[in-house]
Amino acid sequence: MAKTGITPKNTADITNIYRLDGRVPILKAIPFGLQHILAMFVANLTPISMIGAAAGLPSAEIAILLQNAMFVAGIATLIQLYPIWKVGSRLPIVMGVSFTFVTILTYIASSYGYSTALGAVLIGGIIEGTLGLLAKYWRKIITPVVSASVVTAIGYSLFSVGTRSFGGGYTPEFGSAQNLLLGSITLATCLLFNVLAKGYLKQLSVLAGLIVGYVSALMMKAVDLSQIFAGGMVALPRLLPYMPEFNVGAIISVTIIFMVSAAETIGDTTAVVSGGLRREIQTKEISGSLACDGYASAISALFGCPPVTSFSQNVGLINMTRVVNRFTIMTGAVCMILAGLLPPIGNFFASLPESVLGGCTLMMFGTITVSGIQMISKAGFSQRNVVIVALSLAVGIGFTSASETEIWRIFPQVIQDVFSANCVAVVFVVSILLSFLLPENMEIETLADEK
């Protein structure tokens, strides 16, 4: 057969990392997949530790839940990449345990018990998944300018997350010289690797930063390796470690947060398609993404874990590297599943210092905001769009600033729990309302008034 000089789309070729489909040589795919998992690993485990501690769970039981969380996140990611029926988006979306639910689940777990929190997650997940399958009936209310506003808000909301990680996380050593040095070494490595590396290797800048940062942390004795082999060599995921219990008030509260999480998922999915694939999102992709979010969260509850959702860290990584290949990210999902089955692997990943992770995520989070700005530009700077973006961001960011949360004090507690610290939720609601209320032809009416 004559050589044409054209590489078939489905053959193993490193250039396929920039295509949604196609095989990449396995040994070259693994570093890209591993980069995705390392970027979100610590954040995937933290919510369970926080909620479990609030519920008074013993450390041994929390350790079991952490193993389950890694396994469930890997399975959910595989479903996003390779859908089952209509569940899954077929997009390079990495799933993990959501921070969005920490506040409400901490309250429910401490007040009614951890089993009640799981019952609420189970029902709420089924509701979100079902709404996702029906997305074609309500998709039109999520206009391009609404999606752009939400994506921009997601990027903004993550700035403080990146800063907290850069400084060392929620520890007494936050902002210490050692943490700041580790974060700076990691960030500098990412930048230098991006500048000096050639070809596709540029897209491994985050992995390079993580490796150099981890080695630096080892040299500074900032890594605890004593727990690497805690928990044995193999641990199968435990189904129903807690039997779900159902409380109507808890279910309603958690379902409301699922709607907020759905807004974030729509924003994340849109950002992946816009920034990574450079095209408009399709209704079936939003539908599949939301269905996976919901039903995977229900499965997560059966394994004793909080809801799983799309991880914005990885959306930022895709926007920065343009590596969108499903097979490549699938290798990362397999690593996550193995981490859930083999405690030493999971414990090794979990030993990654928070400041090293922060050094990598600062720029990644910034790219999400840039992607949102690009989406706003693509939607157009009409008078109507400018008003929607300007007011939704002003209210969303201003009303949820840490110093101004008292502005919500006259509202019921459930409203405060949903909105007072979640700028994405506020931006979503305000932009939707303005999109409904403002006339389509604001510019025409203004010209008519002047005449």
Side-chain angles (χ1 to χ4, degrees):
M1 184 175 179
K3 294 183 178 180
T4 62
I6 299 175
T7 304
K9 184 177 180 181
N10 290 320
T11 58
D13 179 20
I14 188 60
T15 61
N16 280 336
I17 61 173
Y18 303 111
R19 304 187 183 108
L20 187 63
D21 296 309
R23 290 289 297 275
V24 176
I26 185 67
L27 293 180
K28 293 182 178 179
I30 289 175
F32 291 100
L34 192 60
Q35 180 173 245
H36 268 281
I37 299 310
L38 289 173
M40 55 78 74
F41 200 89
V42 175
N44 179 53
L45 302 180
T46 304
I48 294 180
S49 299
M50 296 170 67
I51 298 168
L57 301 183
S59 58
E61 294 183 17
I62 293 178
I64 293 172
L65 297 182
L66 293 175
Q67 294 295 133
N68 282 3
M70 290 182 277
F71 179 79
V72 170
I75 296 297
T77 301
L78 287 180
I79 294 174
Q80 282 285 24
L81 296 169
Y82 300 97
I84 298 175
W85 186 50
K86 296 181 180 181
V87 180
S89 62
R90 202 175 171 273
L91 293 172
I93 293 174
V94 176
M95 304 286 285
V97 178
S98 175
F99 264 98
T100 304
F101 294 83
V102 168
T103 301
I104 190 66
L105 290 182
T106 296
Y107 171 74
I108 293 172
S110 60
S111 301
Y112 303 100
Y114 194 73
S115 294
T116 301
L118 294 178
V121 171
L122 178 62
I123 300 300
I126 293 173
I127 291 173
E128 186 198 10
T130 304
L131 287 175
L133 292 178
L134 301 174
K136 66 179 181 180
Y137 298 107
W138 54 265
R139 165 74 178 94
K140 291 183 180 179
I141 69 174
I142 314 295
T143 62
V145 71
V146 170
S147 296
S149 300
V150 171
V151 171
T152 305
I154 289 173
Y156 172 83
S157 69
L158 290 171
F159 288 167
S160 59
V161 176
T163 301
R164 174 58 62 172
S165 292
F166 193 92
Y170 291 93
T171 65
E173 291 77 32
F174 176 74
S176 68
Q178 185 181 72
N179 284 330
L180 295 180
L181 179 59
L182 280 174
S184 298
I185 290 172
T186 305
L187 178 58
T189 302
C190 292
L191 292 174
L192 286 173
F193 199 86
N194 215 309
V195 171
L196 300 177
K198 303 297 183 182
Y200 74 90
L201 291 175
K202 283 181 178 289
Q203 316 313 337
L204 288 173
S205 60
V206 171
L207 181 59
L210 289 168
I211 292 173
V212 172
Y214 192 88
V215 172
S216 300
L218 285 172
M219 295 173 62
M220 296 180 189
K221 298 182 179 179
V223 178
D224 181 12
L225 297 176
S226 63
Q227 298 300 311
I228 293 295
F229 294 100
M233 296 300 296
V234 179
L236 296 178
R238 186 184 298 180
L239 186 64
L240 291 175
Y242 301 93
M243 189 61 64
E245 297 177 3
F246 304 99
N247 176 287
V248 174
I251 291 172
I252 293 174
S253 299
V254 170
T255 299
I256 291 172
I257 305 297
F258 264 109
M259 298 304 100
V260 174
S261 178
E264 295 177 346
T265 298
I266 291 171
D268 284 342
T269 308
T270 304
V272 164
V273 173
S274 175
L277 300 178
R278 302 298 181 90
R279 62 170 172 81
E280 295 288 335
I281 190 144
Q282 301 173 12
T283 298
K284 67 178 182 179
E285 290 169 335
I286 286 181
S287 178
S289 183
L290 290 173
C292 182
D293 241 36
Y295 292 134
S297 293
I299 293 173
S300 183
L302 296 179
F303 282 92
C305 298
V308 291
T309 189
S310 57
F311 252 53
S312 297
Q313 287 94 322
N314 301 86
V315 175
L317 185 57
I318 286 171
N319 283 327
M320 188 171 76
T321 64
R322 306 282 186 246
V323 175
V324 296
N325 183 261
R326 292 190 301 151
F327 175 79
T328 296
I329 296 174
M330 179 270 290
T331 64
V334 172
C335 289
M336 182 68 84
I337 293 171
L338 290 176
L341 297 175
L342 305 174
I345 295 178
N347 294 337
F348 175 76
F349 287 161
S351 69
L352 182 72
E354 190 82 15
S355 53
V356 172
L357 184 65
C360 292
T361 54
L362 280 179
M363 189 163 60
M364 284 162 39
F365 293 161
T367 60
I368 298 177
T369 301
V370 172
S371 179
I373 294 171
Q374 291 173 333
M375 291 169 64
I376 293 170
S377 178
K378 194 169 185 178
F381 291 101
S382 65
Q383 182 67 24
R384 183 174 186 274
N385 285 352
V386 167
V387 170
I388 292 173
V389 173
L391 190 55
S392 63
L393 290 178
V395 174
I397 295 172
F399 281 41
T400 58
S401 298
S403 60
E404 312 303 334
T405 52
E406 278 296 300
I407 201 169
W408 298 92
R409 64 187 178 86
I410 67 170
F411 292 93
Q413 187 62 44
V414 66
I415 299 296
Q416 294 184 44
D417 291 340
V418 173
F419 294 108
S420 66
N422 194 326
C423 78
V424 176
V426 178
V427 168
F428 178 68
V429 171
V430 174
S431 60
I432 286 284
L433 288 175
L434 291 175
S435 187
F436 269 117
L437 297 174
L438 294 179
E440 292 285 346
N441 55 345
M442 290 176 66
E443 287 81 6
I444 296 175
E445 289 186 0
T446 301
L447 292 174
D449 291 341
E450 289 177 357
K451 291 180 179 179

